[in-house]
Amino acid sequence: MPRLAITPGEPAGVGPELLAALANSDLPADLIAIADPDLLRAAARASGLALDIVPYIATEYVQHRARGSLRCIDIPLRSASHAGRLDAANAAYVIDTLSRATDGCLNAEFDALITGPVQKSVINAAAIPFTGHTEFFATRAGVNVVMLLATPALRVALATTHLSLRNVPDAITREGLIATLSILDRDLREKFGIATPRIAVLGLNPHAGEGGYLGREEIDTIIPAMEILRAQGMQLIGPLPADTAFVPEQLALCDAVLAMYHDQGLPVLKAQGFGEAVNITLGLPFIRTSVDHGTALDIAGQGKADPSSLIAAARMALQLVNTSRTKAAS
Ligand SMILES: NC(=O)C1=CN([C@@H]2O[C@H](COP(=O)(O)OP(=O)(O)OC[C@H]3O[C@@H](n4cnc5c(N)ncnc54)[C@H](O)[C@@H]3O)[C@@H](O)[C@H]2O)C=CC1
Ligand SMILES: NCC(=O)COP(=O)(O)O
């Protein structure tokens, strides 16, 4: 039975109550929370959800049922947590949960990891350099990764992730684009079963640079990288002007879009499918999915948080585990 680990993320955010909601949903897997059990119990109570925490025993596999029962690896909070109130004292707790989860994925104790949202700012406020889960797992695993967000109708990958907009152009390099597109192309084949993926690549500048009159990144960096990959057989479209790349006629021609930076691609995806999108880290030696939203401190602890994206992330993780097992068996 696939064993899925799940971290709730920021303890003052909506993550803990979303885990309680997931515990009350059907998922044909062994589901293991990595969290403070009292935090999860309090979040469930505040949301009016049943939650029975069962200590994790690694040698036992238990099929999760939608009865509010959740197996849990106990990682204690560093300080009492209050919904909606950030506390830098708990940043180390968040990192503890992610570290335990990563170790378990890297040593095959878990088949996949699902993450709840973290508050990147409060981790940094605790003097722990942290830009996101994606970069954290990439560093721990020592690999290049790609952030992909997917709804049933649209897949958007990012050439750069969590960095200041001012630093984006310098972060886009030929080598980086070749690595990113190679991971994206491979995982669209292997994880999503698309035999010949068609990837639309966005330009960085307005009108994809307007022939060099509105910026040279397309001519100097993006097109040369695409030509190298096209020569290897990759089906690449573009570079396309980002403002018209997402019209339905264009999207019908591709299986995924590669955006050059976070807010070039994700607003379109979230406008179209917020709540049902899943964030998938491609390129890792393990499967990792996550929600499409943040910590939602404004509604935490009020029973208002929608668990749809976490449930979608868990189902996607399970689907990816089953796909990789089928491939390994064939
Ligand atoms: N996977 C992750 O760890 C992610 C973490 N974040 C972090 O979250 C923090 C807050 O980010 P924001 O930009 O404010 O975005 P946010 O997604 O937390 O909130 C934006 C709006 O969406 C609502 N919302 C979010 N999730 C919801 C849910 N499940 N149900 C109902 N309403 C929901 C919030 O109440 C708020 O009005 C930041 O520190 C950011 O870094 C953001 C995105 C992903
Ligand atoms: N906007 C996506 C996001 O912030 C999630 O990033 P990560 O923490 O999954 O790397």
Side-chain angles (χ1 to χ4, degrees):
M1 188 188 329
R3 178 177 277 168
L4 311 182
I6 180 158
T7 53
E10 166 56 45
V14 292
E17 66 203 72
L18 296 181
L19 252 67
L22 183 65
N24 285 277
S25 310
D26 226 3
L27 192 72
D30 183 17
L31 188 61
I32 312 295
I34 302 178
D36 186 312
D38 288 335
L39 170 72
L40 298 182
R41 287 190 191 100
R45 263 196 311 277
S47 299
L49 292 165
L51 188 64
D52 177 29
I53 300 283
V54 180
Y56 167 73
I57 298 169
T59 48
E60 289 177 359
Y61 280 76
V62 180
Q63 160 119 19
H64 176 72
R65 302 207 186 277
R67 292 181 191 143
S69 174
L70 194 56
R71 299 198 326 132
C72 184
I73 295 173
D74 185 344
I75 305 282
L77 281 167
R78 301 296 179 99
S79 172
S81 179
H82 305 280
R85 278 162 44 193
L86 294 172
D87 182 352
N90 275 324
Y93 158 79
V94 173
I95 298 297
D96 288 347
T97 63
L98 298 182
S99 301
R100 175 65 181 87
T102 318
D103 292 346
C105 287
L106 289 173
N107 69 22
E109 178 184 4
F110 311 127
D111 295 299
L113 170 63
I114 304 139
T115 59
V118 295
Q119 185 86 17
K120 299 163 182 66
S121 56
V122 78
I123 300 176
N124 284 280
I128 302 172
F130 184 89
T131 53
H133 290 98
T134 305
E135 300 84 351
F136 178 86
F137 296 132
T139 304
R140 298 268 304 205
V143 294
N144 287 324
V145 299
V146 176
M147 187 190 290
L148 174 78
L149 273 89
T151 69
L154 178 63
R155 298 185 191 93
V156 176
L158 304 181
T160 59
T161 52
H162 297 121
L163 73 172
S164 155
L165 194 52
R166 186 183 291 277
N167 296 329
V168 164
D170 289 342
I172 298 170
T173 63
R174 258 185 229 195
E175 297 69 31
L177 285 176
I178 288 171
T180 297
L181 282 162
S182 301
I183 292 170
L184 179 58
D185 179 76
R186 185 197 64 206
D187 278 12
L188 288 171
R189 291 170 202 270
E190 293 185 357
K191 291 192 162 71
F192 295 91
I194 301 168
T196 313
R198 300 159 305 163
I199 302 170
V201 179
L202 304 188
L204 173 67
N205 297 294
H207 310 171
E210 192 80 34
Y213 292 99
L214 292 177
R216 288 201 53 87
E217 284 80 2
E218 290 76 11
I219 292 169
D220 293 339
T221 309
I222 301 174
I223 292 171
M226 292 174 73
E227 280 172 354
I228 290 168
L229 294 170
R230 279 189 181 120
Q232 297 171 12
M234 218 179 271
Q235 301 294 306
L236 302 176
I237 304 162
L240 298 175
D243 60 347
T244 48
F246 292 96
V247 300
E249 293 76 12
Q250 279 289 351
L251 289 181
L253 302 176
C254 69
D255 300 297
V257 176
L258 180 70
M260 289 297 122
Y261 57 93
H262 188 279
D263 285 5
Q264 186 184 48
L266 298 193
V268 183
L269 182 121
K270 292 192 182 187
Q272 190 228 53
F274 192 53
E276 60 175 4
V278 178
N279 175 354
I280 305 152
T281 311
L282 307 180
L284 286 172
F286 57 87
I287 291 160
R288 180 261 169 164
T289 65
S290 190
V291 289
D292 63 1
H293 56 79
T295 50
L297 297 174
D298 53 333
I299 58 167
Q302 300 168 35
K304 293 181 184 168
D306 179 354
S308 308
S309 180
L310 187 70
I311 292 170
R315 292 195 175 137
M316 174 66 81
L318 185 57
Q319 181 190 316
L320 293 173
V321 171
N322 289 333
T323 303
S324 83
R325 287 185 174 183
T326 308
K327 266 183 76 73
S330 66

